[in-house]
Amino acid sequence: MSEQNYTAVSIKTLKGLDAVRKRPAMYIGSTGSSGLHHLVYEVVDNSIDEALAGYCDRVDVTIYSDNSISVVDNGRGIPVDYHAEEKMSALQLVLTTLHAGGKFDNSSYKVSGGLHGVGVSCVNALSAWMKVEVFRDNKIYFMEFNRGVPKEDVKEIGTTDRKGTSVTFKPDDKVFETTEYSFDILSKRLRELAFLNKGICITLKDERPEGKSHEFCYPGGLSSFITYLDENKTPLHPQPICFFQAKDGIEIEIAMQYNDSYIENILSFANNINTVDGGTHLSGFKKGLTRAINTYVSNNNLLKNNNKVELKGEDLREGLTAAVSVKLPNPQFEGQTKGKLGNSDIMGIVETSVGEMLGVYLEENPQIARKVVDKCVNSAIAREAARRARQLARRKTIMDGGGLPGKLADCQERDPSKCEIFLVEGDSAGGSAKMGRDRTFQAILPLKGKILNVEKARLDKVISHEEIQFMVQAFGTGFGKSDEDDDGFNLSKLRYSKIIIMTDADVDGSHIRTLLLTFFFRHLPGLIENGNVFIAQPPLYKIKAAKEERYAFNDVEKDSVLDEWKEKKNLVIQRYKGLGEMNPDQLAETTMNPETRSLLQVKLEDAVEADRVFTMLMGEEVEPRRRFIEENAKKVKNLDV
Ligand code: 0RA
């Protein structure tokens, strides 16, 4: 087809919803689980727009047992009057034409409408059926569609004193690879939307067997978000600090709170989308924060006794949890996953507003300001200590020669894509692993006892910890951010494509595994994101009959072997308490040999939840940890983070 023809044809097809059905991924990102859930967000976004325009304060989402979904709001209701120009009702227009929304509301831009922002018509096109009820002018209107095609014109079916819209749809299984909704995925996003748009109450109800229900109402908005994120942390000041500014069509909302940890956790959003890669609004926030605190420090002469320290941006963000949300017309989402806000004017606007508002806040709240500044000064001192510790660690490595830890039993292969390293607790298990491995491509690093709980330690401590130094040296990647005398973390220097945590299947083993995962999550997250971290799955039992033997990796498997072998005599069941109890051949066969083992890959799907869970598991507070372990006792056997 010629270029010209192609354009003509593609414009024509774009008009119809056919285009959506032919290339669904272009409109909703994918036809997998993510696209399936996107359908719900697309409808909910319309309700949120009604709320932001001031007409709606309630959205009820229901998952039915056939995995159809309804989204009901109490907004104005989609208009139903006849549209002379288009020769159909407004309702039909909205539900069958791409980007029809704008035809009604030119005055205000739509704040939500998401990454794809394609509208309900798209959801309609990708649904086996859709039923829409509109409650408007004391009447109930109804319209039904199959795969986006109207069954008949809109009709009046009754009277009501309600107002709003109810959209019920069933995703087309001819389009989607899966049509099973996840309560947790929907729940996470709806909660986030409720935090981001205060005053809206969102409910989620699961009518499938054993379904749950949630209600998300946060009058505190972003401030409640911070409280939720830091549920298990100890705050430095009682309430999150909040700012709001609406100017020149741009809204900026910020909530922030310092806690006694060393972790920086700043979330950013643009038009209700989580910008995971930050962007201009986040940069503006960081600059404004740095400016406000440094100005306060110098105006009040607070560094006079510490005149050697210099406060850097990162010092001012240690132990800071913050959410930055901007709403703007024409957001530019950049980067491979469109997770970065690109609008350049936003940077200066956010910087100025944070600089001014936080400046005023600090002057007006000297007690809190003093605590914050003390914390920042301490973190600057610790940063300097960390730098020295790192220098020391490097010098030691160079003196040790070769830069590899002495107790590493390295492999012969040098191509990282073929190499694996096992992190093993203790020398006895280390010994079995060394004998059981295939030394051509498998390396063993035995670790001594429990490694440092990094959740409670500052960077200088982490860097000085010997076992952590050994790991980082063995991996070859370096560690942390780059500075004057260190290159920091560099994934391309990784010496093994698989880093395998191999601990005993007991309480201690699982503690060490959690400590290691916490270390990876906090200090080498690049390895988790790149899929390099794995958990070995050693068997829990060996069951022996006369000549045969079987391994069982959990109680269910053990019971099924016992059941299968109930006729046999002299069964011996051995419960492995440690890896050291297995002989090297057994360890190799069950846990190490790629042909016969099974590995669990560590994934990071929900960073917000992971942060909360790690803080809770590794932090000071005992009660939430006890509750979590009780609630998750069944799942813990297969800890897949
Ligand atoms: C077009 C125009 C107006 C509202 C809507 C669409 C609308 C769409 C959805 C989808 C789900 N809930 C919704 N609520 C409203 C403006 C209506 C007016 O001007 O009265």
Side-chain angles (χ1 to χ4, degrees):
M1 212 182 298
S2 79
E3 187 82 50
Q4 221 172 2
N5 262 339
Y6 183 77
T7 318
V9 173
S10 65
I11 288 175
K12 190 162 161 265
T13 24
L14 257 180
K15 277 199 163 171
L17 294 176
D18 247 20
V20 182
R21 288 187 61 83
K22 284 207 180 92
R23 314 183 67 182
M26 259 190 60
Y27 296 86
I28 52 159
S30 83
T31 53
S33 165
S34 144
L36 180 77
H37 291 84
H38 198 95
L39 299 182
V40 182
Y41 309 150
E42 205 60 62
V43 182
V44 170
D45 280 346
N46 283 274
S47 305
I48 301 274
D49 275 331
E50 279 294 283
L52 292 176
Y55 300 103
C56 162
D57 63 4
R58 227 194 127 78
V59 185
D60 300 292
V61 179
T62 309
I63 313 169
Y64 297 101
S65 42
D66 63 349
N67 276 294
S68 65
I69 296 267
S70 73
V71 178
V72 182
D73 67 45
N74 64 351
R76 285 170 291 184
I78 305 178
V80 290
D81 44 296
Y82 187 72
H83 213 266
E85 212 179 294
E86 306 284 343
K87 301 189 172 61
M88 61 174 95
S89 71
L91 180 62
Q92 183 171 341
L93 195 62
V94 167
L95 288 163
T96 55
T97 339
L98 292 175
H99 306 290
K103 289 202 169 72
F104 299 89
D105 253 333
N106 292 326
S107 55
S108 72
Y109 60 89
K110 298 282 188 209
V111 143
S112 52
L115 219 44
H116 301 279
V118 283
V120 225
S121 57
C122 226
V123 181
N124 193 10
L126 301 176
S127 295
W129 54 261
M130 178 183 269
K131 295 173 189 175
V132 183
E133 279 180 309
V134 172
F135 311 95
R136 213 180 145 105
D137 311 321
N138 295 104
K139 296 196 178 84
I140 305 174
Y141 300 92
F142 178 81
M143 197 165 180
E144 191 174 351
F145 304 82
N146 286 323
R147 305 204 154 85
V149 181
K151 275 182 101 173
E152 52 183 325
D153 282 347
V154 57
K155 62 183 177 201
E156 228 183 280
I157 56 164
T159 58
T160 181
D161 49 14
R162 272 171 73 174
K163 59 184 192 60
T165 308
S166 161
V167 177
T168 309
F169 62 95
K170 183 164 162 60
D172 191 347
D173 60 13
K174 290 203 173 73
V175 173
F176 291 95
E177 292 143 39
T178 165
T179 51
E180 170 106 14
Y181 273 104
S182 151
F183 183 86
D184 289 344
I185 293 176
L186 289 179
S187 174
K188 181 195 171 234
R189 174 62 179 156
L190 296 177
R191 173 187 285 122
E192 190 172 270
L193 282 171
F195 281 132
L196 288 166
N197 304 282
K198 71 169 153 232
I200 307 180
C201 186
I202 305 177
T203 66
L204 175 62
K205 191 161 169 235
D206 192 346
E207 293 205 340
R208 293 171 299 189
E210 290 172 60
K212 295 174 275 189
S213 73
H214 272 332
E215 184 174 68
F216 306 116
C217 298
Y218 305 108
L222 280 196
S223 174
S224 311
F225 201 174
I226 300 300
T227 307
Y228 172 80
L229 290 168
D230 278 4
E231 190 182 35
N232 302 303
K233 290 182 184 152
T234 311
L236 222 59
H237 46 99
Q239 294 296 327
I241 304 169
C242 303
F243 309 112
F244 178 79
Q245 174 184 296
K247 210 164 124 187
D248 305 325
I250 296 167
E251 284 182 21
I252 303 170
E253 195 185 351
I254 288 165
M256 53 185 274
Q257 186 168 32
Y258 284 91
N259 56 65
D260 73 349
S261 81
Y262 311 115
I263 295 153
E264 168 183 336
N265 187 13
I266 308 178
L267 304 178
S268 66
F269 300 86
N271 293 9
N272 287 335
I273 307 281
N274 185 193
T275 36
V276 287
D277 300 316
T280 50
H281 52 339
L282 180 62
S283 306
F285 170 74
K286 289 181 176 174
K287 283 173 185 251
L289 179 81
T290 306
R291 167 131 59 102
I293 297 183
N294 273 320
T295 306
Y296 181 80
V297 165
S298 90
N299 283 353
N300 293 276
N301 220 1
L302 295 178
L303 275 187
K304 53 181 181 289
N305 301 324
N306 281 301
N307 48 12
K308 281 222 181 89
V309 296
E310 179 201 350
L311 297 184
K312 287 192 173 180
E314 60 191 277
D315 303 329
L316 312 177
R317 301 192 296 270
E318 194 186 83
L320 175 66
T321 298
V324 178
S325 165
V326 296
K327 292 180 178 142
L328 71 162
N330 307 315
Q332 305 297 315
F333 292 104
E334 298 177 344
Q336 225 168 27
T337 49
K338 305 275 174 220
K340 189 171 181 180
L341 185 70
N343 303 58
S344 52
D345 50 331
I346 295 296
M347 175 133 64
I349 298 174
V350 177
E351 176 181 351
T352 307
S353 114
V354 172
E356 283 171 6
M357 292 194 281
L358 184 58
V360 171
Y361 181 92
L362 293 172
E363 293 295 348
E364 285 176 354
N365 297 275
Q367 279 179 324
I368 294 175
R370 192 54 74 98
K371 279 192 189 162
V372 170
V373 171
D374 279 352
K375 164 130 189 145
C376 298
V377 170
N378 280 334
S379 106
I381 295 170
R383 173 173 49 79
E384 197 37 50
R387 199 175 66 83
R388 283 194 299 269
R390 195 181 333 204
Q391 266 180 346
L392 210 68
R394 297 193 89 211
R395 215 170 294 146
K396 223 172 67 183
T397 330
I398 294 164
M399 285 195 310
D400 284 350
L404 288 174
K407 57 183 188 168
L408 170 74
D410 209 1
C411 54
Q412 293 156 349
E413 176 62 55
R414 283 286 161 265
D415 175 359
S417 71
K418 295 182 186 140
C419 294
E420 309 179 343
I421 182 169
F422 287 82
L423 306 178
V424 191
E425 82 179 279
D427 289 331
S428 97
S432 299
K434 269 182 218 171
M435 288 190 274
R437 69 173 171 154
D438 179 338
R439 64 170 60 236
T440 57
F441 70 100
Q442 293 181 318
I444 309 292
L445 181 65
L447 297 171
K448 201 169 47 197
K450 306 220 155 148
I451 72 152
L452 180 76
N453 179 357
V454 298
E455 199 67 27
K456 288 184 190 162
R458 230 175 191 143
L459 197 56
D460 54 328
K461 271 250 188 78
V462 176
I463 291 177
S464 317
H465 188 78
E466 260 203 330
E467 305 301 303
I468 287 181
Q469 288 180 7
F470 292 153
M471 282 193 277
V472 175
Q473 287 164 12
F475 300 164
T477 53
F479 174 90
K481 287 186 214 120
S482 62
D483 60 31
E484 304 102 68
D485 37 37
D486 196 289
D487 298 335
F489 177 75
N490 184 347
L491 184 62
S492 71
K493 292 196 172 156
L494 181 61
R495 301 178 60 246
Y496 313 91
S497 60
K498 289 197 174 74
I499 296 170
I500 303 168
I501 300 173
M502 187 162 76
T503 56
D504 289 342
D506 60 3
V507 179
D508 268 359
S510 100
H511 189 209
I512 291 167
R513 181 175 58 215
T514 314
L515 288 166
L516 283 167
L517 287 173
T518 310
F519 167 64
F520 285 120
F521 175 64
R522 293 296 182 200
H523 294 282
L524 294 168
L527 294 181
I528 300 187
E529 279 158 28
N530 197 46
N532 298 114
V533 183
F534 296 82
I535 297 171
Q537 302 281 284
L540 261 186
Y541 300 99
K542 185 167 82 175
I543 305 137
K544 256 178 107 161
K547 276 183 205 129
E548 274 179 288
E549 55 183 43
R550 287 266 197 94
Y551 298 101
F553 291 83
N554 53 47
D555 288 313
V556 178
E557 279 184 28
K558 177 198 69 178
D559 292 341
S560 94
V561 175
L562 291 183
D563 191 52
E564 194 183 319
W565 283 2
K566 59 177 177 274
E567 314 288 293
K568 304 197 181 195
K569 286 190 190 79
N570 298 332
L571 286 186
V572 181
I573 306 167
Q574 183 187 358
R575 190 185 199 291
Y576 292 120
K577 285 186 213 76
L579 299 167
E581 285 179 28
M582 263 180 269
N583 69 41
D585 287 345
Q586 291 172 329
L587 185 63
E589 186 196 338
T590 59
T591 319
M592 298 178 72
N593 181 350
E595 307 284 318
T596 46
R597 73 185 178 196
S598 75
L599 288 182
L600 220 54
Q601 187 173 35
V602 178
K603 290 191 181 135
L604 222 185
E605 263 153 15
D606 184 348
V608 165
E609 211 45 38
D611 184 273
R612 279 163 44 82
V613 167
F614 276 117
T615 314
M616 176 181 52
L617 287 177
M618 308 315 289
E620 318 274 346
E621 312 256 341
V622 177
E623 180 53 22
R625 176 162 56 226
R626 193 193 58 74
R627 233 186 306 135
F628 177 86
I629 290 172
E630 229 163 61
E631 284 166 14
N632 291 277
K634 284 195 210 109
K635 295 188 216 159
V636 158
K637 281 200 191 108
N638 247 349
L639 184 76
D640 190 358
V641 183

